Amino acid sequence: MNTSSPQISDDTPIVIIGSGFGAYQLVKSIRRLHPEQPITVICADDGSEYSKPDLSHVFSRNQQARDLVKLSGVQFAHQQRITLLANSTVTSIDTNTKTVQCGIANVHYHKLVLATGANAIVPSLETESQPKLLTLNSLGEYQRAQRQLQQAQRVAVLGAGLIGTEIAMDLAQSGKEVVLIDRANRVLPNLLPEFVASQLQLRMTQQNQHRGAIQFELNTELTRVISTEHGTSATLANGHQHQVDAVISAIGLHPNTSLAKVAGIEVNRGIVVNDLMQTSNNDVYAIGDCAELNGQLRPYLQPVVISANALANTLCGQPTVVSLPPMLVKVKTPWLPIALAGQTAVAEANWQIELDQAGMVAKAHGSDGELIGVVVTEQKVNAALPLLRHLPAA
């Protein structure tokens, strides 16, 4: 690793495509190193700064999209002293001339960072009079859907993973009836072992008598939606039909890699980067939901913060390897608070479980007896922190 002092580039800016958490965290990290480093941010939205995880709480908090905005794009640009090209679509990247085509303008870059994020996956369904499936992967998406969702009394949520489960619980907390649909046989199948998932599902079922109800439709999938005079009719593969006012797709994310692919940059599931967050082109980097590091996509805040800090050093002349420690994931399910780290959905894990009235501490061990994962619940959530140092690196 080069330990020399970072150097400010010439007047050609660092250009960042995107305005999500990864992009703006990187801007702040660069600014801490160099107040005068030229930075240009290009984004397809208005560039507002907001906390994306807060989208999982908007219903119970009765929030409008504007309530989530920390700074407008103009305010953020002024505060961080950057050039913001908002509501602008990048159509191509020329890595030979180091230019980005944006509308009728060519923007030259010293270094380029792709922070293009990911799109919510929407399933292909029968199209007869099909109403629009809603997604909540960005502030703009919520802004467009908020009136319909606020007026809705019954909502179908596709996907019982992390985001889908959090949204379903928040909708129910706001008094709405929810149908939670997933192909898997339990909630959070990629994060939780069955014995924790079943406890969460039981808790969600028990709360039905106090708040809006959650009805589980597991081991099935949505096959057809049609508009009716009463709203939307949703048909499942198991033959069940549900009359709802809205359908939210939360079945996963697909990294936005098209710009990189057209520019000849290596793409797999995401934009492939090395441990400097550098793509197959030496002057192009990627960060956030679009980046694939060591074969993995990491759509969580902590790895983005760590990556942004390291990448800021690298972009300013001090190459810094991204080293990810074991990281804690907090599941925002207030009816049963959960935190986890490591490998927690491995079928062959050997579990050691400590359970009392304050909650659960579950430790997963591999075949060699080494600790590989931890799940904690309720008042025991802080018990995971001391165990992190015993887990292998992320």
Side-chain angles (χ1 to χ4, degrees):
M1 182 184 299
N2 184 353
T3 58
S4 61
S5 299
Q7 299 296 313
I8 298 176
S9 74
D10 57 22
D11 290 337
T12 307
I14 294 171
V15 173
I16 303 171
I17 301 176
S19 60
F21 180 76
Y24 279 1
Q25 191 68 29
L26 178 59
V27 168
K28 294 174 185 178
S29 298
I30 294 172
R31 273 290 164 263
R32 284 193 291 268
L33 293 172
H34 286 304
E36 304 305 322
Q37 170 66 51
I39 302 172
T40 297
V41 171
I42 308 172
C43 59
D45 57 17
D46 65 5
S48 295
E49 182 186 21
Y50 69 100
S51 175
K52 186 175 174 181
D54 287 347
L55 290 169
S56 296
H57 300 302
V58 289
F59 306 107
S60 61
R61 295 175 180 175
N62 195 28
Q63 289 177 311
Q64 305 288 320
R66 62 176 177 270
D67 298 328
L68 304 185
V69 175
K70 297 179 179 179
L71 292 173
S72 70
V74 172
Q75 291 170 328
F76 183 86
H78 177 74
Q79 181 191 79
Q80 298 297 328
R81 301 177 305 283
I82 65 172
T83 299
L84 176 65
L85 303 180
N87 301 306
S88 301
T89 300
V90 173
T91 54
S92 64
I93 300 166
D94 190 327
T95 57
N96 294 319
T97 61
K98 298 179 71 171
T99 57
V100 170
Q101 182 72 37
C102 179
I104 61 173
N106 282 324
V107 180
H108 293 266
Y109 64 84
H110 170 61
K111 299 290 183 182
L112 176 66
V113 181
L114 303 176
T116 49
N119 286 330
I121 298 172
V122 178
S124 298
L125 302 170
E126 296 182 26
T127 58
E128 177 189 349
S129 302
Q130 180 179 322
K132 181 178 177 60
L133 270 61
L134 305 177
T135 56
L136 296 178
N137 188 48
S138 70
L139 185 66
E141 289 167 44
Y142 175 54
Q143 186 171 30
R144 292 187 290 273
Q146 65 183 9
R147 183 174 181 180
Q148 179 181 353
L149 289 172
Q150 287 165 353
Q151 294 176 346
Q153 294 301 309
R154 188 168 173 82
V155 181
V157 177
L158 308 184
L162 182 64
I163 302 303
T165 299
E166 290 178 351
I167 289 174
M169 187 176 292
D170 197 62
L171 285 164
Q173 279 195 290
S174 71
K176 301 182 189 298
E177 295 183 11
V178 182
V179 182
L180 185 57
I181 305 163
D182 202 291
R183 294 175 178 175
N185 63 358
R186 65 178 189 267
V187 297
L188 277 71
N190 297 323
L191 288 178
L192 295 180
E194 191 280 332
F195 61 88
V196 181
S198 61
Q199 183 182 11
L200 175 59
Q201 185 173 337
L202 176 62
R203 190 67 59 88
M204 293 168 75
T205 303
Q206 290 171 336
Q207 292 292 338
N208 286 349
Q209 57 186 311
H210 304 295
R211 299 176 176 86
I214 299 178
Q215 180 178 351
F216 294 91
E217 285 279 15
L218 304 176
N219 282 314
T220 190
E221 61 183 326
L222 183 67
T223 58
R224 185 170 181 251
V225 289
I226 60 172
S227 296
T228 70
E229 60 180 330
H230 302 295
T232 297
S233 177
T235 302
L236 308 184
N238 61 10
H240 295 175
Q241 289 186 330
H242 295 275
Q243 190 69 34
V244 296
D245 302 307
V247 181
I248 299 173
S249 181
I251 57 177
L253 300 175
H254 185 271
N256 291 322
T257 61
S258 57
L259 278 176
K261 188 177 296 185
V262 172
I265 292 168
E266 183 182 358
V267 168
N268 188 29
R269 288 190 300 157
I271 301 171
V272 177
V273 296
N274 61 17
D275 55 11
L276 295 174
M277 305 307 290
Q278 184 180 46
T279 71
S280 56
N281 184 283
N282 290 342
D283 294 317
V284 181
Y285 300 77
I287 192 171
D289 290 355
C290 68
E292 180 180 329
L293 174 63
N294 296 328
Q296 293 188 49
L297 302 169
R298 293 179 171 86
Y300 301 107
L301 297 188
Q302 188 179 358
V304 174
V305 171
I306 294 171
S307 299
N309 291 337
L311 180 53
N313 286 330
T314 297
L315 293 173
C316 293
Q318 184 174 326
T320 302
V321 167
V322 174
S323 179
L324 297 177
M327 286 173 282
L328 192 66
V329 175
K330 293 186 177 180
V331 183
K332 298 186 292 295
T333 48
W335 297 346
L336 183 70
I338 299 172
L340 55 96
Q343 301 178 57
T344 53
V346 180
E348 59 271 19
N350 297 311
W351 286 93
Q352 175 188 350
I353 302 170
E354 303 168 12
L355 179 64
D356 58 34
Q357 292 182 340
M360 176 192 297
V361 176
K363 304 174 186 176
H365 298 271
S367 57
D368 57 1
E370 294 295 316
L371 185 69
I372 60 172
V374 175
V375 180
V376 292
T377 68
E378 300 183 273
Q379 298 174 43
K380 303 279 186 147
V381 291
N382 292 331
L385 293 174
L387 295 171
L388 289 182
R389 65 177 181 271
H390 300 293
L391 291 172

